[in-house]
Amino acid sequence: MKLWHCVDARSMRCLWAIEELKLLGKTVDFELVTLPFPPRVYHKQFLKKNIVGTIPLLEDRGQKLTESNAISQYICDKYGPTSLTVKSNEAFYGEYLNWLHHGEA
């Protein structure tokens, strides 16, 4: 798994999710690539990875994700199970998803 990140960007959410999983004893092998912000201006080669040039970008097993909350959810679902998520059969699943994605509204 490779996370493309900039300091003080929304990619911090994704990095935080990875670190939380590690604190819970999960093995998460990943490479962190930190770029200057904005990468579409200061790291033109990044446009070959993400045509829009935005951060974050997660590459994992042939998948590419660019939305920070979707990446956090993907990481927890793919590398869990973890107490960081609410499962779809749990009572507050709808509220969990609403708050998870609320920051983007």
Side-chain angles (χ1 to χ4, degrees), residues 46-64:
F46 182 66
L47 292 171
K48 293 177 183 172
K49 294 284 184 185
N50 180 358
I51 194 167
V52 182
T54 57
I55 289 292
L57 169 64
L58 180 79
E59 297 178 306
D60 185 44
R61 303 174 190 185
Q63 301 285 317
K64 283 188 175 183

Side-chain angles (χ1 to χ4, degrees), residues 74-88:
Y74 173 89
I75 290 167
C76 290
D77 289 346
K78 199 76 169 173
Y79 292 94
T82 173
S83 59
L84 297 175
T85 63
V86 175
K87 307 295 184 265
S88 62

Side-chain angles (χ1 to χ4, degrees), residues 86-96:
V86 175
K87 307 295 184 265
S88 62
N89 62 346
E90 294 182 61
F92 297 106
Y93 179 69
E95 289 180 49
Y96 159 74

